[in-house]
Amino acid sequence: MQREALRLRRQGKKIVLVPTMGALHEGHLSLARLARKCGDVVVVSIYVNPIQFGPKEDFAKYPRPFAKDRRLAISAGVDIIFAPKNLYAGDASTTISESFFSQGRCGAFRAGHFDGVTTVVAKLFNIVQPDVAIFGQKDAQQCDVLERMARDLNFPVRIVRAPIIRDENGVARSSRNAYLSAAEYQVAVHFAKTLKSAGSVAEAKRKLGKVPGLRLQYVEAANGQLCAAVFVGKTRLIDNVPLKK
Ligand code: AMP
């Protein structure tokens, strides 16, 4: 991949990278379509990055429907699917760590998660050599962390933040929605509606605390967003909305 990327760059081609963990849905595809408008060669990476999962998280059961992903990626106009089996040498001993935006919110509950994200994205930047990389606002804290990393480490990459894609009931699209039963999905609808209607952290906490079947992990205001994480059954969902002024 790196050899191909360097060859494309020598030809003056502008490479746009959309990093994903696969199980592609409309959220990912909107990023790929936006990527099409941002450069000449669209690369979607599909890699379930082991080092961003905690020991009790869902790495093993994370969905990996590669044949379907390939079809969807091609239909969205992707030029190259980069789907490595493994990105880490057995004795890899270097990580990248961002220490401001990675605190709080998901960082408070997922120890090591953002170090895993910054490390894999730095590796993907080196491998794919993108001029532009696109990330979704669905993972607002991840965007905050990666923008800071790219700035602090002088990656010659423009980071683009794409809007959240929701389904017809307002639920933020997520690969993890596939884990939800029909009843749990209704709780997810309630989560999205409640967060949207809340004007403050206190109001969101109070209202989300009352939703049956939902266990609140956090609500926090950060970088102009009202951000929340909840458990619906065993499934952890995150969402964010702009803070009302
Ligand atoms: P993931 O495969 O969950 O790691 O997501 C890959 C990229 O797609 C990340 O930049 C996510 O923020 C983005 N993404 C995931 N779901 C959505 C969504 N519903 N709307 C917009 N972007 C999304």
Side-chain angles (χ1 to χ4, degrees):
M1 179 69 237
Q2 191 179 56
R3 210 178 307 126
E4 175 67 5
L6 290 167
R7 191 183 67 80
L8 289 163
R9 285 189 75 115
R10 273 195 303 275
Q11 292 176 354
K13 297 276 199 279
K14 198 167 164 186
I15 301 175
V16 189
L17 171 65
V18 179
T20 82
M21 299 204 300
L24 301 182
H25 50 66
E26 201 41 51
H28 299 116
L29 300 180
S30 73
L31 269 54
R33 288 190 206 104
L34 177 60
R36 205 40 302 151
K37 297 183 194 154
C38 295
D40 305 308
V41 179
V42 175
V43 180
V44 165
S45 63
I46 296 181
Y47 182 59
V48 186
N49 175 35
I51 69 166
Q52 72 184 70
F53 288 79
K56 293 188 178 147
E57 294 183 357
D58 55 345
F59 173 70
K61 78 163 182 179
Y62 200 85
R64 292 162 171 88
F66 184 70
K68 182 179 174 202
D69 284 350
R70 182 165 43 197
R71 262 201 323 278
L72 288 171
I74 291 168
S75 74
V78 169
D79 299 299
I80 298 177
I81 300 168
F82 175 53
K85 277 211 170 63
N86 173 33
L87 280 181
Y88 300 98
D91 58 352
S93 51
T94 309
T95 54
I96 304 279
S97 185
E98 191 282 333
S99 60
F100 180 72
F101 286 116
S102 60
Q103 304 304 302
R105 290 182 278 172
C106 294
F109 296 93
R110 302 188 70 188
H113 168 70
F114 286 112
D115 288 359
V117 170
T118 44
T119 300
V120 81
V121 170
K123 284 165 69 69
L124 289 168
F125 284 178
N126 285 329
I127 296 166
V128 179
Q129 303 277 316
D131 299 270
V132 179
I134 305 189
F135 297 90
Q137 172 68 18
K138 157 84 184 350
D139 299 275
Q141 186 174 12
Q142 175 170 279
C143 289
D144 298 342
V145 167
L146 292 172
E147 283 170 3
R148 176 57 62 88
M149 176 192 83
R151 186 202 74 176
D152 287 352
L153 298 184
N154 304 89
F155 280 101
V157 179
R158 181 164 71 89
I159 307 275
V160 171
R161 203 185 267 243
I164 302 187
I165 301 299
R166 298 177 180 280
D167 70 14
E168 58 281 8
N169 298 307
V171 176
R173 299 262 187 194
S174 164
S175 304
R176 291 191 169 95
N177 293 350
Y179 299 151
L180 301 172
S181 68
E184 288 172 341
Y185 175 76
Q186 291 309 317
V187 179
V189 174
H190 209 142
F191 169 43
K193 284 198 174 130
T194 307
L195 190 65
K196 190 179 172 200
S197 71
S200 66
V201 171
E203 187 185 345
K205 264 192 190 154
R206 185 165 45 73
K207 288 182 168 171
L208 288 171
K210 289 186 194 150
V211 176
L214 184 156
R215 185 158 63 80
L216 182 59
Q217 190 172 60
Y218 72 77
V219 181
E220 267 185 55
N223 230 3
Q225 305 294 316
L226 188 57
C227 306
V230 302
F231 277 93
V232 179
K234 287 191 172 143
T235 305
R236 185 174 179 278
L237 301 176
I238 58 170
D239 199 350
N240 64 89
V241 295
L243 257 178
K244 292 173 189 153
K245 299 261 157 54

PDB file of all heavy atoms in Angstrom, residues 56-84:
ATOM      1  N   LYS A  56     -12.118  -6.076  28.119  1.00  0.00           N
ATOM      2  CA  LYS A  56     -13.510  -6.553  28.287  1.00  0.00           C
ATOM      3  C   LYS A  56     -14.422  -6.049  27.176  1.00  0.00           C
ATOM      4  O   LYS A  56     -15.632  -6.191  27.262  1.00  0.00           O
ATOM      5  CB  LYS A  56     -14.044  -6.101  29.648  1.00  0.00           C
ATOM      6  CG  LYS A  56     -13.323  -6.768  30.791  1.00  0.00           C
ATOM      7  CD  LYS A  56     -13.979  -6.466  32.120  1.00  0.00           C
ATOM      8  CE  LYS A  56     -13.242  -7.191  33.233  1.00  0.00           C
ATOM      9  NZ  LYS A  56     -13.251  -6.451  34.479  1.00  0.00           N
ATOM     10  N   GLU A  57     -13.843  -5.470  26.141  1.00  0.00           N
ATOM     11  CA  GLU A  57     -14.672  -4.925  25.067  1.00  0.00           C
ATOM     12  C   GLU A  57     -14.887  -5.954  23.944  1.00  0.00           C
ATOM     13  O   GLU A  57     -14.492  -7.113  24.064  1.00  0.00           O
ATOM     14  CB  GLU A  57     -14.063  -3.616  24.569  1.00  0.00           C
ATOM     15  CG  GLU A  57     -14.133  -2.537  25.664  1.00  0.00           C
ATOM     16  CD  GLU A  57     -13.599  -1.175  25.221  1.00  0.00           C
ATOM     17  OE1 GLU A  57     -13.118  -1.046  24.070  1.00  0.00           O
ATOM     18  OE2 GLU A  57     -13.661  -0.249  26.036  1.00  0.00           O
ATOM     19  N   ASP A  58     -15.514  -5.495  22.842  1.00  0.00           N
ATOM     20  CA  ASP A  58     -16.075  -6.414  21.859  1.00  0.00           C
ATOM     21  C   ASP A  58     -15.170  -6.707  20.658  1.00  0.00           C
ATOM     22  O   ASP A  58     -15.677  -6.978  19.565  1.00  0.00           O
ATOM     23  CB  ASP A  58     -17.427  -5.864  21.375  1.00  0.00           C
ATOM     24  CG  ASP A  58     -17.318  -4.433  20.826  1.00  0.00           C
ATOM     25  OD1 ASP A  58     -16.287  -3.785  21.077  1.00  0.00           O
ATOM     26  OD2 ASP A  58     -18.261  -3.977  20.157  1.00  0.00           O
ATOM     27  N   PHE A  59     -13.847  -6.694  20.853  1.00  0.00           N
ATOM     28  CA  PHE A  59     -12.939  -6.931  19.711  1.00  0.00           C
ATOM     29  C   PHE A  59     -13.247  -8.253  19.004  1.00  0.00           C
ATOM     30  O   PHE A  59     -13.361  -8.304  17.775  1.00  0.00           O
ATOM     31  CB  PHE A  59     -11.474  -6.913  20.165  1.00  0.00           C
ATOM     32  CG  PHE A  59     -10.521  -7.307  19.065  1.00  0.00           C
ATOM     33  CD1 PHE A  59     -10.308  -6.461  17.985  1.00  0.00           C
ATOM     34  CD2 PHE A  59      -9.856  -8.520  19.087  1.00  0.00           C
ATOM     35  CE1 PHE A  59      -9.456  -6.824  16.943  1.00  0.00           C
ATOM     36  CE2 PHE A  59      -8.996  -8.889  18.055  1.00  0.00           C
ATOM     37  CZ  PHE A  59      -8.798  -8.036  16.984  1.00  0.00           C
ATOM     38  N   ALA A  60     -13.407  -9.323  19.775  1.00  0.00           N
ATOM     39  CA  ALA A  60     -13.591 -10.652  19.159  1.00  0.00           C
ATOM     40  C   ALA A  60     -14.905 -10.723  18.393  1.00  0.00           C
ATOM     41  O   ALA A  60     -14.966 -11.319  17.317  1.00  0.00           O
ATOM     42  CB  ALA A  60     -13.527 -11.742  20.228  1.00  0.00           C
ATOM     43  N   LYS A  61     -15.967 -10.115  18.937  1.00  0.00           N
ATOM     44  CA  LYS A  61     -17.273 -10.274  18.279  1.00  0.00           C
ATOM     45  C   LYS A  61     -17.594  -9.138  17.296  1.00  0.00           C
ATOM     46  O   LYS A  61     -18.653  -9.145  16.669  1.00  0.00           O
ATOM     47  CB  LYS A  61     -18.384 -10.448  19.317  1.00  0.00           C
ATOM     48  CG  LYS A  61     -18.857  -9.185  20.001  1.00  0.00           C
ATOM     49  CD  LYS A  61     -20.223  -9.436  20.688  1.00  0.00           C
ATOM     50  CE  LYS A  61     -20.725  -8.149  21.335  1.00  0.00           C
ATOM     51  NZ  LYS A  61     -22.009  -8.255  21.988  1.00  0.00           N
ATOM     52  N   TYR A  62     -16.680  -8.174  17.156  1.00  0.00           N
ATOM     53  CA  TYR A  62     -16.938  -7.050  16.244  1.00  0.00           C
ATOM     54  C   TYR A  62     -17.219  -7.604  14.843  1.00  0.00           C
ATOM     55  O   TYR A  62     -16.495  -8.479  14.358  1.00  0.00           O
ATOM     56  CB  TYR A  62     -15.729  -6.103  16.232  1.00  0.00           C
ATOM     57  CG  TYR A  62     -16.089  -4.720  15.725  1.00  0.00           C
ATOM     58  CD1 TYR A  62     -16.617  -3.764  16.590  1.00  0.00           C
ATOM     59  CD2 TYR A  62     -15.939  -4.386  14.383  1.00  0.00           C
ATOM     60  CE1 TYR A  62     -16.975  -2.502  16.121  1.00  0.00           C
ATOM     61  CE2 TYR A  62     -16.288  -3.130  13.914  1.00  0.00           C
ATOM     62  CZ  TYR A  62     -16.807  -2.198  14.797  1.00  0.00           C
ATOM     63  OH  TYR A  62     -17.168  -0.956  14.332  1.00  0.00           O
ATOM     64  N   PRO A  63     -18.292  -7.129  14.174  1.00  0.00           N
ATOM     65  CA  PRO A  63     -18.644  -7.725  12.871  1.00  0.00           C
ATOM     66  C   PRO A  63     -17.584  -7.487  11.797  1.00  0.00           C
ATOM     67  O   PRO A  63     -16.980  -6.415  11.741  1.00  0.00           O
ATOM     68  CB  PRO A  63     -19.959  -7.017  12.505  1.00  0.00           C
ATOM     69  CG  PRO A  63     -20.031  -5.800  13.367  1.00  0.00           C
ATOM     70  CD  PRO A  63     -19.221  -6.077  14.596  1.00  0.00           C
ATOM     71  N   ARG A  64     -17.360  -8.497  10.948  1.00  0.00           N
ATOM     72  CA  ARG A  64     -16.345  -8.399   9.885  1.00  0.00           C
ATOM     73  C   ARG A  64     -16.907  -8.944   8.571  1.00  0.00           C
ATOM     74  O   ARG A  64     -16.403  -9.936   8.032  1.00  0.00           O
ATOM     75  CB  ARG A  64     -15.085  -9.172  10.299  1.00  0.00           C
ATOM     76  CG  ARG A  64     -14.314  -8.548  11.487  1.00  0.00           C
ATOM     77  CD  ARG A  64     -13.364  -9.573  12.103  1.00  0.00           C
ATOM     78  NE  ARG A  64     -12.441  -9.019  13.085  1.00  0.00           N
ATOM     79  CZ  ARG A  64     -12.679  -8.892  14.384  1.00  0.00           C
ATOM     80  NH1 ARG A  64     -13.854  -9.235  14.898  1.00  0.00           N
ATOM     81  NH2 ARG A  64     -11.748  -8.391  15.200  1.00  0.00           N
ATOM     82  N   PRO A  65     -17.941  -8.282   8.024  1.00  0.00           N
ATOM     83  CA  PRO A  65     -18.578  -8.786   6.789  1.00  0.00           C
ATOM     84  C   PRO A  65     -17.839  -8.278   5.559  1.00  0.00           C
ATOM     85  O   PRO A  65     -18.338  -7.417   4.828  1.00  0.00           O
ATOM     86  CB  PRO A  65     -19.988  -8.184   6.877  1.00  0.00           C
ATOM     87  CG  PRO A  65     -19.796  -6.893   7.631  1.00  0.00           C
ATOM     88  CD  PRO A  65     -18.600  -7.073   8.536  1.00  0.00           C
ATOM     89  N   PHE A  66     -16.658  -8.844   5.284  1.00  0.00           N
ATOM     90  CA  PHE A  66     -15.773  -8.219   4.299  1.00  0.00           C
ATOM     91  C   PHE A  66     -16.342  -8.182   2.872  1.00  0.00           C
ATOM     92  O   PHE A  66     -16.215  -7.168   2.177  1.00  0.00           O
ATOM     93  CB  PHE A  66     -14.380  -8.865   4.298  1.00  0.00           C
ATOM     94  CG  PHE A  66     -13.456  -8.160   3.350  1.00  0.00           C
ATOM     95  CD1 PHE A  66     -13.004  -6.869   3.639  1.00  0.00           C
ATOM     96  CD2 PHE A  66     -13.071  -8.741   2.154  1.00  0.00           C
ATOM     97  CE1 PHE A  66     -12.187  -6.182   2.758  1.00  0.00           C
ATOM     98  CE2 PHE A  66     -12.249  -8.054   1.265  1.00  0.00           C
ATOM     99  CZ  PHE A  66     -11.810  -6.784   1.565  1.00  0.00           C
ATOM    100  N   ALA A  67     -17.000  -9.279   2.454  1.00  0.00           N
ATOM    101  CA  ALA A  67     -17.499  -9.311   1.063  1.00  0.00           C
ATOM    102  C   ALA A  67     -18.533  -8.204   0.843  1.00  0.00           C
ATOM    103  O   ALA A  67     -18.523  -7.511  -0.178  1.00  0.00           O
ATOM    104  CB  ALA A  67     -18.101 -10.687   0.756  1.00  0.00           C
ATOM    105  N   LYS A  68     -19.419  -8.032   1.829  1.00  0.00           N
ATOM    106  CA  LYS A  68     -20.437  -6.976   1.733  1.00  0.00           C
ATOM    107  C   LYS A  68     -19.771  -5.591   1.765  1.00  0.00           C
ATOM    108  O   LYS A  68     -20.136  -4.692   1.007  1.00  0.00           O
ATOM    109  CB  LYS A  68     -21.426  -7.132   2.902  1.00  0.00           C
ATOM    110  CG  LYS A  68     -22.541  -6.124   2.865  1.00  0.00           C
ATOM    111  CD  LYS A  68     -23.514  -6.322   4.023  1.00  0.00           C
ATOM    112  CE  LYS A  68     -24.540  -5.192   4.046  1.00  0.00           C
ATOM    113  NZ  LYS A  68     -25.150  -5.036   5.371  1.00  0.00           N
ATOM    114  N   ASP A  69     -18.792  -5.446   2.639  1.00  0.00           N
ATOM    115  CA  ASP A  69     -18.074  -4.160   2.722  1.00  0.00           C
ATOM    116  C   ASP A  69     -17.446  -3.786   1.380  1.00  0.00           C
ATOM    117  O   ASP A  69     -17.477  -2.637   0.961  1.00  0.00           O
ATOM    118  CB  ASP A  69     -16.968  -4.230   3.789  1.00  0.00           C
ATOM    119  CG  ASP A  69     -17.515  -4.145   5.204  1.00  0.00           C
ATOM    120  OD1 ASP A  69     -18.719  -3.849   5.364  1.00  0.00           O
ATOM    121  OD2 ASP A  69     -16.733  -4.358   6.148  1.00  0.00           O
ATOM    122  N   ARG A  70     -16.871  -4.797   0.743  1.00  0.00           N
ATOM    123  CA  ARG A  70     -16.205  -4.534  -0.531  1.00  0.00           C
ATOM    124  C   ARG A  70     -17.214  -4.029  -1.559  1.00  0.00           C
ATOM    125  O   ARG A  70     -16.979  -3.053  -2.253  1.00  0.00           O
ATOM    126  CB  ARG A  70     -15.510  -5.801  -1.033  1.00  0.00           C
ATOM    127  CG  ARG A  70     -14.758  -5.563  -2.337  1.00  0.00           C
ATOM    128  CD  ARG A  70     -13.793  -6.658  -2.654  1.00  0.00           C
ATOM    129  NE  ARG A  70     -14.381  -7.961  -2.398  1.00  0.00           N
ATOM    130  CZ  ARG A  70     -13.683  -9.075  -2.282  1.00  0.00           C
ATOM    131  NH1 ARG A  70     -12.364  -9.049  -2.370  1.00  0.00           N
ATOM    132  NH2 ARG A  70     -14.279 -10.221  -2.069  1.00  0.00           N
ATOM    133  N   ARG A  71     -18.381  -4.699  -1.594  1.00  0.00           N
ATOM    134  CA  ARG A  71     -19.452  -4.265  -2.522  1.00  0.00           C
ATOM    135  C   ARG A  71     -19.866  -2.821  -2.240  1.00  0.00           C
ATOM    136  O   ARG A  71     -19.970  -1.996  -3.142  1.00  0.00           O
ATOM    137  CB  ARG A  71     -20.674  -5.170  -2.347  1.00  0.00           C
ATOM    138  CG  ARG A  71     -20.786  -6.275  -3.354  1.00  0.00           C
ATOM    139  CD  ARG A  71     -22.204  -6.826  -3.500  1.00  0.00           C
ATOM    140  NE  ARG A  71     -23.001  -6.924  -2.278  1.00  0.00           N
ATOM    141  CZ  ARG A  71     -22.930  -7.919  -1.399  1.00  0.00           C
ATOM    142  NH1 ARG A  71     -22.063  -8.906  -1.583  1.00  0.00           N
ATOM    143  NH2 ARG A  71     -23.706  -7.937  -0.334  1.00  0.00           N
ATOM    144  N   LEU A  72     -20.123  -2.533  -0.965  1.00  0.00           N
ATOM    145  CA  LEU A  72     -20.592  -1.190  -0.600  1.00  0.00           C
ATOM    146  C   LEU A  72     -19.535  -0.133  -0.916  1.00  0.00           C
ATOM    147  O   LEU A  72     -19.856   0.943  -1.416  1.00  0.00           O
ATOM    148  CB  LEU A  72     -20.940  -1.141   0.897  1.00  0.00           C
ATOM    149  CG  LEU A  72     -22.210  -1.896   1.300  1.00  0.00           C
ATOM    150  CD1 LEU A  72     -22.333  -1.967   2.822  1.00  0.00           C
ATOM    151  CD2 LEU A  72     -23.444  -1.215   0.704  1.00  0.00           C
ATOM    152  N   ALA A  73     -18.284  -0.447  -0.624  1.00  0.00           N
ATOM    153  CA  ALA A  73     -17.205   0.521  -0.859  1.00  0.00           C
ATOM    154  C   ALA A  73     -17.097   0.823  -2.348  1.00  0.00           C
ATOM    155  O   ALA A  73     -16.987   1.983  -2.755  1.00  0.00           O
ATOM    156  CB  ALA A  73     -15.883  -0.021  -0.318  1.00  0.00           C
ATOM    157  N   ILE A  74     -17.171  -0.215  -3.162  1.00  0.00           N
ATOM    158  CA  ILE A  74     -17.075  -0.011  -4.614  1.00  0.00           C
ATOM    159  C   ILE A  74     -18.249   0.849  -5.083  1.00  0.00           C
ATOM    160  O   ILE A  74     -18.085   1.778  -5.862  1.00  0.00           O
ATOM    161  CB  ILE A  74     -17.008  -1.365  -5.354  1.00  0.00           C
ATOM    162  CG1 ILE A  74     -15.665  -2.039  -5.053  1.00  0.00           C
ATOM    163  CG2 ILE A  74     -17.188  -1.181  -6.862  1.00  0.00           C
ATOM    164  CD1 ILE A  74     -15.572  -3.496  -5.472  1.00  0.00           C
ATOM    165  N   SER A  75     -19.451   0.570  -4.548  1.00  0.00           N
ATOM    166  CA  SER A  75     -20.639   1.332  -4.980  1.00  0.00           C
ATOM    167  C   SER A  75     -20.548   2.798  -4.551  1.00  0.00           C
ATOM    168  O   SER A  75     -21.180   3.659  -5.147  1.00  0.00           O
ATOM    169  CB  SER A  75     -21.919   0.696  -4.420  1.00  0.00           C
ATOM    170  OG  SER A  75     -22.022   0.968  -3.041  1.00  0.00           O
ATOM    171  N   ALA A  76     -19.747   3.087  -3.535  1.00  0.00           N
ATOM    172  CA  ALA A  76     -19.584   4.480  -3.095  1.00  0.00           C
ATOM    173  C   ALA A  76     -18.439   5.180  -3.840  1.00  0.00           C
ATOM    174  O   ALA A  76     -18.112   6.323  -3.529  1.00  0.00           O
ATOM    175  CB  ALA A  76     -19.343   4.527  -1.585  1.00  0.00           C
ATOM    176  N   GLY A  77     -17.818   4.484  -4.778  1.00  0.00           N
ATOM    177  CA  GLY A  77     -16.792   5.128  -5.602  1.00  0.00           C
ATOM    178  C   GLY A  77     -15.388   5.051  -5.023  1.00  0.00           C
ATOM    179  O   GLY A  77     -14.520   5.836  -5.403  1.00  0.00           O
ATOM    180  N   VAL A  78     -15.168   4.089  -4.139  1.00  0.00           N
ATOM    181  CA  VAL A  78     -13.837   3.928  -3.539  1.00  0.00           C
ATOM    182  C   VAL A  78     -12.883   3.312  -4.561  1.00  0.00           C
ATOM    183  O   VAL A  78     -13.255   2.388  -5.294  1.00  0.00           O
ATOM    184  CB  VAL A  78     -13.955   3.027  -2.287  1.00  0.00           C
ATOM    185  CG1 VAL A  78     -12.598   2.602  -1.771  1.00  0.00           C
ATOM    186  CG2 VAL A  78     -14.755   3.758  -1.211  1.00  0.00           C
ATOM    187  N   ASP A  79     -11.655   3.814  -4.627  1.00  0.00           N
ATOM    188  CA  ASP A  79     -10.670   3.280  -5.576  1.00  0.00           C
ATOM    189  C   ASP A  79      -9.864   2.129  -4.978  1.00  0.00           C
ATOM    190  O   ASP A  79      -9.562   1.163  -5.655  1.00  0.00           O
ATOM    191  CB  ASP A  79      -9.703   4.390  -6.009  1.00  0.00           C
ATOM    192  CG  ASP A  79     -10.433   5.518  -6.706  1.00  0.00           C
ATOM    193  OD1 ASP A  79     -11.039   5.248  -7.760  1.00  0.00           O
ATOM    194  OD2 ASP A  79     -10.425   6.644  -6.190  1.00  0.00           O
ATOM    195  N   ILE A  80      -9.475   2.282  -3.724  1.00  0.00           N
ATOM    196  CA  ILE A  80      -8.619   1.265  -3.101  1.00  0.00           C
ATOM    197  C   ILE A  80      -9.182   0.924  -1.724  1.00  0.00           C
ATOM    198  O   ILE A  80      -9.477   1.818  -0.923  1.00  0.00           O
ATOM    199  CB  ILE A  80      -7.170   1.787  -2.920  1.00  0.00           C
ATOM    200  CG1 ILE A  80      -6.550   2.109  -4.286  1.00  0.00           C
ATOM    201  CG2 ILE A  80      -6.312   0.778  -2.155  1.00  0.00           C
ATOM    202  CD1 ILE A  80      -5.150   2.707  -4.193  1.00  0.00           C
ATOM    203  N   ILE A  81      -9.370  -0.385  -1.488  1.00  0.00           N
ATOM    204  CA  ILE A  81      -9.719  -0.837  -0.141  1.00  0.00           C
ATOM    205  C   ILE A  81      -8.440  -1.403   0.464  1.00  0.00           C
ATOM    206  O   ILE A  81      -7.855  -2.347  -0.080  1.00  0.00           O
ATOM    207  CB  ILE A  81     -10.810  -1.927  -0.180  1.00  0.00           C
ATOM    208  CG1 ILE A  81     -12.079  -1.390  -0.853  1.00  0.00           C
ATOM    209  CG2 ILE A  81     -11.120  -2.432   1.227  1.00  0.00           C
ATOM    210  CD1 ILE A  81     -13.095  -2.472  -1.197  1.00  0.00           C
ATOM    211  N   PHE A  82      -8.001  -0.792   1.535  1.00  0.00           N
ATOM    212  CA  PHE A  82      -6.804  -1.276   2.218  1.00  0.00           C
ATOM    213  C   PHE A  82      -7.267  -2.037   3.456  1.00  0.00           C
ATOM    214  O   PHE A  82      -7.764  -1.433   4.410  1.00  0.00           O
ATOM    215  CB  PHE A  82      -5.910  -0.094   2.599  1.00  0.00           C
ATOM    216  CG  PHE A  82      -4.698  -0.481   3.410  1.00  0.00           C
ATOM    217  CD1 PHE A  82      -3.834  -1.476   2.972  1.00  0.00           C
ATOM    218  CD2 PHE A  82      -4.419   0.157   4.612  1.00  0.00           C
ATOM    219  CE1 PHE A  82      -2.712  -1.838   3.721  1.00  0.00           C
ATOM    220  CE2 PHE A  82      -3.299  -0.199   5.366  1.00  0.00           C
ATOM    221  CZ  PHE A  82      -2.448  -1.194   4.917  1.00  0.00           C
ATOM    222  N   ALA A  83      -7.160  -3.369   3.402  1.00  0.00           N
ATOM    223  CA  ALA A  83      -7.678  -4.203   4.486  1.00  0.00           C
ATOM    224  C   ALA A  83      -6.575  -5.138   4.978  1.00  0.00           C
ATOM    225  O   ALA A  83      -6.566  -6.330   4.648  1.00  0.00           O
ATOM    226  CB  ALA A  83      -8.892  -4.988   4.013  1.00  0.00           C
ATOM    227  N   PRO A  84      -5.642  -4.604   5.737  1.00  0.00           N
ATOM    228  CA  PRO A  84      -4.535  -5.445   6.195  1.00  0.00           C
ATOM    229  C   PRO A  84      -5.018  -6.470   7.214  1.00  0.00           C
ATOM    230  O   PRO A  84      -5.991  -6.224   7.924  1.00  0.00           O
ATOM    231  CB  PRO A  84      -3.597  -4.435   6.871  1.00  0.00           C
ATOM    232  CG  PRO A  84      -4.496  -3.334   7.328  1.00  0.00           C
ATOM    233  CD  PRO A  84      -5.596  -3.248   6.297  1.00  0.00           C
TER     234      PRO A  84
END
